[in-house]
Amino acid sequence: MSDSIVGLLRQKKNQILTLWMKNQLADGSLRDDLMSNAELRNQSEELLDTLTEVMTDETFTQLDDPALEPLFDLLAGISLSRARQGFTPRETGTYIFSLKAALLEILQHDRKNDLPLLLANTLQISKFIDNLGIRTFETFIQGREEVIIRQTDEMTDMMTPVVQIWDGILAMPLIGTLDSSRTLVVMENLLQEIVRTGSEIAILDISGVPTVDSMVAQHLIKTVNATRLMGAECIISGIRPEIAQTIVHLGIDLSYVITKATLASALKHAFTVMRLEVRKAGTTSFSN
Amino acid sequence: MERIPILKMGQFLLVTIQVDLYDRLALDLEADLIKQISEYESRAVMIDISAVTIVDSFMGRILNNIASMARILDAETVVVGMQPSVAITLVELGLPLAGIHTALNVERGIALLQSKVGTDRRTLQSNND
């Protein structure tokens, strides 16, 4: 009998693997459709090999030891590939925690005559495997977050459309929360389109913006000023009553910015400025 | 020495800035322009900056100065053809050029000035002849 847990683990590696496989196969959550038994066995054996390789009695208690990096890397790889293959977080978690059951079983068998040592070792193994489990989840969440960030960027580009609603009139309906990076995209897109189309009037419709804080208001004012510098006029439309309240409470001066309640009234204003008239087609024929 | 040409079109003065302004050039332009406004009794100045890609706070101040000085001499100033990047920079610098009229291009700028100073196209042309 060896006093060192690591020694014991190395010695009984094959036994542990067999037990671990048995535990995994017994678990109802095993997905035959996603991974074959042979593949699972290979993956488990690789993890166990790396585990016994990098572990010493010191690293076993020092969970942030750099010597453990290869193990964490391997675990991260397994976690990511499982996330991509369509395993749920629970299944990936079970994979790691079923190893704990196998280790504890071996330990219990070996140390049944020394209960205090058994208890101490059990706690150690428990802590170590829990740590591995937490890392697995961290990687899993990280992978998901990367996807979310990419989608956010794509949405930012998609959510700033500039449409020409009339000859010389541009409209930009804004949807969603405005932050500084997005407002910059909004400003650039709008100004580029003004140059490209030679439009005199740009309507910034914010009826799809849920909240306006002082920073967003400042960005809007900047956009209006930049538009004016280019020689066009910018109208802000679709300000909700609660946003009007916020703006006044924040003490933001929008008095020199043309604001309209709806996109329709902004368009009407634009027609007036451009001296355009829209009439019902029938009106003239009746009067004639 | 390099100088920015100032064209006289009837009661208007037309300046087209084709190079990026450095400080000395901008100061010379300011002095020349004011001198000519007074000399020709011009009613309006149009500055085309469509070729300008870089702008700094100094240039912004020069534009403001020109506008203020011209107004004292009873002339309107319009800046035309500002690039989006220049407009964003000026706004970020906190220089909204409050006293200056702006227009998208030269054509619109002339129309704006004509409406401001009450000159119709005929007068402009007869002065040109």
Side-chain angles (χ1 to χ4, degrees), chain A residues 187-188 191 194-195 198-200 222 226 228-231, chain B residues 82-84 87-88 90-92 96-97 102-104 108:
Chain A
M187 205 197 276
E188 276 169 7
L191 299 189
I194 288 174
V195 172
S199 300
E200 278 175 54
K222 273 185 190 169
R228 193 171 289 165
L229 278 178
M230 307 241 320
Chain B
M82 190 183 290
Q83 295 296 320
I88 292 174
L90 284 179
V91 169
E92 292 292 340
L97 304 185
T102 49
L104 280 172
R108 296 250 174 83

Short mmCIF file of all heavy atoms in Angstrom, two decimals, chain A residues 187-188 191 194-195 198-200 222 226 228-231, chain B residues 82-84 87-88 90-92 96-97 102-104 108:
data_model
loop_
_atom_site.label_atom_id
_atom_site.label_comp_id
_atom_site.label_asym_id
_atom_site.label_seq_id
_atom_site.Cartn_x
_atom_site.Cartn_y
_atom_site.Cartn_z
N MET A 187 -23.15 57.21 -37.25
CA MET A 187 -22.73 58.51 -37.75
C MET A 187 -21.99 58.37 -39.08
O MET A 187 -22.32 59.04 -40.06
CB MET A 187 -21.81 59.17 -36.72
CG MET A 187 -21.76 60.69 -36.80
SD MET A 187 -20.36 61.36 -35.92
CE MET A 187 -20.95 61.44 -34.28
N GLU A 188 -21.02 57.46 -39.13
CA GLU A 188 -20.23 57.28 -40.35
C GLU A 188 -21.11 56.86 -41.52
O GLU A 188 -21.04 57.44 -42.60
CB GLU A 188 -19.13 56.23 -40.12
CG GLU A 188 -17.89 56.84 -39.50
CD GLU A 188 -16.93 55.79 -39.03
OE1 GLU A 188 -17.16 54.59 -39.31
OE2 GLU A 188 -15.95 56.16 -38.36
N LEU A 191 -23.31 59.81 -42.74
CA LEU A 191 -22.58 60.86 -43.45
C LEU A 191 -22.11 60.38 -44.82
O LEU A 191 -22.18 61.12 -45.80
CB LEU A 191 -21.40 61.34 -42.60
CG LEU A 191 -21.74 61.96 -41.24
CD1 LEU A 191 -20.52 62.59 -40.61
CD2 LEU A 191 -22.83 63.00 -41.36
N ILE A 194 -24.99 60.49 -47.14
CA ILE A 194 -25.33 61.87 -47.51
C ILE A 194 -24.45 62.31 -48.68
O ILE A 194 -24.92 62.86 -49.66
CB ILE A 194 -25.17 62.82 -46.30
CG1 ILE A 194 -26.29 62.57 -45.29
CG2 ILE A 194 -25.19 64.27 -46.75
CD1 ILE A 194 -26.14 63.34 -44.02
N VAL A 195 -23.15 62.02 -48.57
CA VAL A 195 -22.24 62.39 -49.66
C VAL A 195 -22.60 61.64 -50.93
O VAL A 195 -22.66 62.20 -52.01
CB VAL A 195 -20.78 62.07 -49.26
CG1 VAL A 195 -19.85 62.28 -50.44
CG2 VAL A 195 -20.35 62.94 -48.10
N GLY A 198 -26.08 62.80 -52.15
CA GLY A 198 -26.28 64.24 -52.23
C GLY A 198 -27.59 64.67 -51.58
O GLY A 198 -28.25 65.58 -52.08
N SER A 199 -27.94 64.02 -50.49
CA SER A 199 -29.22 64.33 -49.84
C SER A 199 -29.10 65.57 -48.95
O SER A 199 -28.07 65.80 -48.33
CB SER A 199 -29.68 63.15 -48.99
OG SER A 199 -29.85 62.03 -49.80
N GLU A 200 -30.18 66.33 -48.92
CA GLU A 200 -30.17 67.55 -48.12
C GLU A 200 -30.66 67.30 -46.70
O GLU A 200 -30.32 68.03 -45.78
CB GLU A 200 -31.11 68.60 -48.75
CG GLU A 200 -30.48 69.37 -49.87
CD GLU A 200 -31.49 70.29 -50.51
OE1 GLU A 200 -32.09 71.09 -49.77
OE2 GLU A 200 -31.68 70.20 -51.72
N LYS A 222 -24.05 65.15 -31.55
CA LYS A 222 -22.85 65.15 -32.38
C LYS A 222 -23.21 64.81 -33.83
O LYS A 222 -22.70 65.42 -34.77
CB LYS A 222 -21.85 64.11 -31.85
CG LYS A 222 -20.94 64.64 -30.79
CD LYS A 222 -19.93 63.58 -30.44
CE LYS A 222 -19.13 63.96 -29.21
NZ LYS A 222 -18.34 62.84 -28.72
N ALA A 226 -22.53 67.14 -37.01
CA ALA A 226 -21.70 66.71 -38.14
C ALA A 226 -22.48 66.80 -39.44
O ALA A 226 -21.95 67.22 -40.47
CB ALA A 226 -21.22 65.27 -37.91
N ARG A 228 -24.86 68.84 -40.08
CA ARG A 228 -24.98 70.25 -40.40
C ARG A 228 -23.68 70.78 -41.02
O ARG A 228 -23.71 71.57 -41.97
CB ARG A 228 -25.31 71.02 -39.12
CG ARG A 228 -25.76 72.43 -39.37
CD ARG A 228 -26.28 73.04 -38.10
NE ARG A 228 -27.57 72.47 -37.71
CZ ARG A 228 -28.09 72.64 -36.50
NH1 ARG A 228 -27.45 73.32 -35.60
NH2 ARG A 228 -29.26 72.12 -36.22
N LEU A 229 -22.55 70.33 -40.50
CA LEU A 229 -21.26 70.76 -41.04
C LEU A 229 -21.10 70.35 -42.49
O LEU A 229 -20.44 71.02 -43.28
CB LEU A 229 -20.12 70.14 -40.23
CG LEU A 229 -19.75 70.83 -38.92
CD1 LEU A 229 -18.66 70.07 -38.23
CD2 LEU A 229 -19.31 72.25 -39.20
N MET A 230 -21.69 69.22 -42.84
CA MET A 230 -21.59 68.75 -44.22
C MET A 230 -22.52 69.52 -45.14
O MET A 230 -22.44 69.40 -46.36
CB MET A 230 -21.96 67.28 -44.31
CG MET A 230 -21.18 66.44 -43.35
SD MET A 230 -20.21 65.25 -44.20
CE MET A 230 -21.31 64.76 -45.47
N GLY A 231 -23.43 70.27 -44.58
CA GLY A 231 -24.34 71.05 -45.39
C GLY A 231 -25.70 70.41 -45.55
O GLY A 231 -26.48 70.82 -46.39
N MET B 82 -17.75 69.34 -47.28
CA MET B 82 -16.96 68.75 -46.19
C MET B 82 -17.10 67.23 -46.19
O MET B 82 -18.18 66.69 -46.32
CB MET B 82 -17.42 69.33 -44.86
CG MET B 82 -16.51 68.97 -43.71
SD MET B 82 -17.08 69.59 -42.13
CE MET B 82 -16.83 71.33 -42.32
N GLN B 83 -15.96 66.54 -46.06
CA GLN B 83 -15.96 65.08 -46.02
C GLN B 83 -16.49 64.59 -44.67
O GLN B 83 -16.28 65.26 -43.65
CB GLN B 83 -14.53 64.55 -46.22
CG GLN B 83 -13.94 64.85 -47.57
CD GLN B 83 -14.69 64.16 -48.69
OE1 GLN B 83 -15.11 63.02 -48.56
NE2 GLN B 83 -14.91 64.87 -49.78
N PRO B 84 -17.14 63.41 -44.64
CA PRO B 84 -17.65 62.87 -43.39
C PRO B 84 -16.59 62.79 -42.29
O PRO B 84 -16.85 63.20 -41.15
CB PRO B 84 -18.11 61.46 -43.77
CG PRO B 84 -18.43 61.53 -45.21
CD PRO B 84 -17.51 62.57 -45.80
N ALA B 87 -15.99 66.17 -40.85
CA ALA B 87 -17.12 66.60 -40.02
C ALA B 87 -17.08 65.92 -38.66
O ALA B 87 -17.24 66.58 -37.62
CB ALA B 87 -18.43 66.28 -40.73
N ILE B 88 -16.80 64.62 -38.65
CA ILE B 88 -16.74 63.88 -37.38
C ILE B 88 -15.62 64.44 -36.51
O ILE B 88 -15.79 64.68 -35.32
CB ILE B 88 -16.55 62.37 -37.63
CG1 ILE B 88 -17.81 61.79 -38.28
CG2 ILE B 88 -16.24 61.63 -36.33
CD1 ILE B 88 -17.68 60.34 -38.71
N LEU B 90 -14.26 67.47 -36.52
CA LEU B 90 -14.60 68.80 -36.00
C LEU B 90 -15.59 68.69 -34.84
O LEU B 90 -15.46 69.37 -33.83
CB LEU B 90 -15.18 69.68 -37.10
CG LEU B 90 -14.16 70.25 -38.10
CD1 LEU B 90 -14.86 71.08 -39.15
CD2 LEU B 90 -13.11 71.09 -37.40
N VAL B 91 -16.57 67.79 -34.98
CA VAL B 91 -17.55 67.61 -33.90
C VAL B 91 -16.88 67.06 -32.65
O VAL B 91 -17.12 67.51 -31.54
CB VAL B 91 -18.70 66.70 -34.37
CG1 VAL B 91 -19.57 66.29 -33.20
CG2 VAL B 91 -19.55 67.41 -35.40
N GLU B 92 -15.98 66.07 -32.87
CA GLU B 92 -15.28 65.49 -31.72
C GLU B 92 -14.38 66.53 -31.05
O GLU B 92 -14.16 66.48 -29.85
CB GLU B 92 -14.44 64.28 -32.15
CG GLU B 92 -15.25 63.06 -32.60
CD GLU B 92 -16.02 62.41 -31.45
OE1 GLU B 92 -15.64 62.64 -30.30
OE2 GLU B 92 -16.99 61.70 -31.74
N PRO B 96 -18.31 73.08 -33.61
CA PRO B 96 -19.45 72.93 -34.52
C PRO B 96 -19.56 74.07 -35.54
O PRO B 96 -20.53 74.09 -36.30
CB PRO B 96 -20.65 72.87 -33.59
CG PRO B 96 -20.21 73.47 -32.31
CD PRO B 96 -18.73 73.58 -32.29
N LEU B 97 -18.60 74.97 -35.62
CA LEU B 97 -18.58 76.07 -36.60
C LEU B 97 -19.92 76.79 -36.67
O LEU B 97 -20.55 76.85 -37.74
CB LEU B 97 -18.18 75.56 -37.99
CG LEU B 97 -16.86 74.80 -38.13
CD1 LEU B 97 -16.59 74.48 -39.59
CD2 LEU B 97 -15.69 75.59 -37.56
N THR B 102 -23.30 76.00 -44.30
CA THR B 102 -22.68 74.85 -44.97
C THR B 102 -23.59 74.37 -46.08
O THR B 102 -24.80 74.55 -46.02
CB THR B 102 -22.43 73.69 -44.01
OG1 THR B 102 -23.62 73.44 -43.28
CG2 THR B 102 -21.30 73.96 -43.06
N ALA B 103 -23.00 73.75 -47.11
CA ALA B 103 -23.78 73.16 -48.18
C ALA B 103 -23.06 71.93 -48.68
O ALA B 103 -21.85 71.76 -48.46
CB ALA B 103 -23.98 74.16 -49.31
N LEU B 104 -23.81 71.04 -49.32
CA LEU B 104 -23.24 69.76 -49.74
C LEU B 104 -22.23 69.93 -50.87
O LEU B 104 -21.22 69.24 -50.91
CB LEU B 104 -24.35 68.83 -50.21
CG LEU B 104 -25.13 68.10 -49.14
CD1 LEU B 104 -26.29 67.37 -49.76
CD2 LEU B 104 -24.23 67.12 -48.40
N ARG B 108 -25.09 73.86 -54.61
CA ARG B 108 -26.00 74.18 -53.51
C ARG B 108 -25.51 75.39 -52.74
O ARG B 108 -26.29 76.20 -52.27
CB ARG B 108 -26.12 72.99 -52.55
CG ARG B 108 -26.73 71.76 -53.17
CD ARG B 108 -28.12 71.52 -52.59
NE ARG B 108 -28.77 70.42 -53.27
CZ ARG B 108 -28.57 69.14 -52.98
NH1 ARG B 108 -27.73 68.81 -52.02
NH2 ARG B 108 -29.19 68.20 -53.65
#
